[in-house]
Amino acid sequence: MTAAAIGASFRPNELEVRPDGSGNLLGSLCRSCGAHFFPIREACAGCLSEDLKTVRFATEGTLYTYTIVRQSTPAFEVPYALGYVDLPEGVRIMGQITGVEFSDISIGMPMVLVLEPFGTSEAGDALTGYRFRPADVTSD
Amino acid sequence: MTDVHILGVGMTRFGKHPESDATDLGSAALREAITDAAIDPRALEAVYVGHVFQGMVTGQRILAQVGLAGLPLANVENACSSGATAIREASLAIRAGENDVVIAIGTEHLTNKFSGALTPDPSDPEAAVGATMPGIYAMRARRYMEEFGMTREQLAAIPVKNKANAARNPLAHFRKEITIKDVLESRPIADPLNLHDCSPVTDGAAAVILMSDTAAQKYANGRAVRLAASTLRSGSVDVEPTSMTYEPLTWETAREAYEKSGIGPDEVDFAEVHDCFSIAEVLRVEGLGLFEQGSYPWAVERGEANIDGRLPINPSGGLLGKGHPLGGTGVAQVVELVRQLRGEAGDRQIEGARVGLAHCRGGKAVGIEGAACTVQILIR
Ligand SMILES: [Zn+2]
């Protein structure tokens, strides 16, 4: 992907999109107890410390569970696969699943974060969001 | 401190009400509750009204309609627990000694506002990637099947049971029995959940009148049922990913209700639980400690949760059968408990019921495994 093709992040507080097309989900690390949170929080739910730091999360995780959504709001074209992916930091992230036949999705699959076009801004500019795809499938 | 008693219940038919709105429905439930309690409407001292999507001061509109405007009133929003939270607030006013007679109303007119899947608030990060409420429960169902070996047919047996109960409830949204095959062949919503696994979009309202010891002695004539506990908790932020097949929030809310009432889970005779989806009933009854984790689908197969079973669950038809008008739901559960405990439940009467439990739980925000949860324990 070229830099010019990358739209701005669909939600900059949660997804960092860099000009080279790479990106990470953003969250908070509690410097006091080490807990991680998604999205960014102002205080730690574990120890109430306010000494939190914004961090980039790892892009690999494991599929905890999933569904195929067949009825949704007008903002989303159905059907689409939706899952929860557990990241090594100890956060569980919901995201759509891409790059795999619905029938080949299974709990426990290793997954990787991918950045993809994800809707448009109010001004009509293309935005970049995230999905997960199975880690053993090569991107095209 | 005074006990809290419920005397006076009212409930509209649940279903589609194209000719009326949330104010009309709430007014009708209020009037019926006053008639049922056989009190002068002027005896009411305070009002709590639960609703979610009905806009500002719906409670005041109800009072204006029935000539009672001017009473202290709070509108309560707590997602699907709004009506149950209104009951809790009313019970606190009585326990605190502030009031002797308080009405809690829950009302919602949804069919003119929604069709299809409810979602978390659009600002939520999960809504932004395509979360729907059926989708989230479908994922919990998938995980439960993986962990405990529940089959799709076992899951389908829950709407079959609840709609059979609803068929015996003249106020229920659905009055037709269905089969497991009907569930499996209904329209897919979010795999593995189909249309019959999901509670419908429903209009309806319910009301209950709560009283102190003093007021109950004055009005009750032995018809009052004691509200032994009414507990509320809100969901906490997970410090690490937790099981989506077990509900600590439901257990903590229930544990507090068991402690306050002195009633253990083994003493509960029947329960109305928040079966917004088929899988939700499994997660609720196991979270409440009424059935062991990983056991409920098999208990349903054995008929244990039927009206004539060991521990009837959702004799009213539940949200799946009776319908789910968000704000109305928690109050309607308590109406069912009162009617069962008084022996006034008609074709769906549970023989000898003495202790009933109602559970509501609703709302979703990112990182929070359930926004608001309530448990009420009623004793005859
Ligand atoms: Zn901390």
Side-chain angles (χ1 to χ4, degrees), chain A residues 30-35 37 44-49 52:
Chain A
C30 174
R31 285 188 165 110
S32 180
C33 75
F37 300 96
C44 175
C47 73
L48 284 185
S49 167
L52 266 54

Side-chain angles (χ1 to χ4, degrees), chain A residues 10-11 14 33 35-39 41 44-47 63-73 76 80-84 86-87 89-96 102 106-108 118 130, chain B residues 115-117 119 122-132 134-136 138-143 146-147 187-193 195 237-245 364 366-368:
Chain A
F10 80 134
R11 292 175 69 95
E14 287 134 33
C33 75
H36 286 83
F37 300 96
F38 176 86
R41 305 286 186 190
C44 175
C47 73
L63 187 64
Y64 176 76
T65 186
Y66 69 97
T67 182
I68 313 302
V69 178
R70 299 185 186 277
Q71 181 184 339
S72 188
T73 64
F76 296 94
Y80 55 89
L82 188 69
Y84 271 114
D86 287 344
L87 300 184
E89 290 87 351
V91 290
R92 181 171 294 154
I93 308 284
M94 182 189 285
Q96 292 185 24
F102 292 160
S106 62
I107 287 174
F118 210 98
Y130 70 92
Chain B
S115 60
T119 66
S123 66
D124 190 84
E126 294 187 336
V129 298
T132 64
I136 290 165
M139 287 194 276
R140 300 182 74 178
R142 175 84 69 194
R143 185 75 198 187
E146 175 94 359
E147 288 182 19
R187 182 157 54 85
I189 301 295
D191 303 0
L193 304 184
L195 189 61
V237 167
D238 291 339
V239 175
E240 55 188 12
T242 53
S243 167
M244 285 176 66
T245 60
K364 174 82 177 90
V366 65
I368 295 176

Side-chain angles (χ1 to χ4, degrees), chain B residues 45 70 85 97 120 144 170 180 192 221 325 340 357 371:
Chain B
E45 297 168 18
T85 305
Y144 191 98
I180 285 178
N221 290 327
Q340 289 284 355
L357 179 151

Side-chain angles (χ1 to χ4, degrees), chain A residues 48-61:
Chain A
L48 284 185
S49 167
E50 294 181 16
D51 188 12
L52 266 54
K53 174 188 166 189
T54 297
V55 293
R56 294 170 170 165
F57 287 134
T59 55
E60 282 114 46

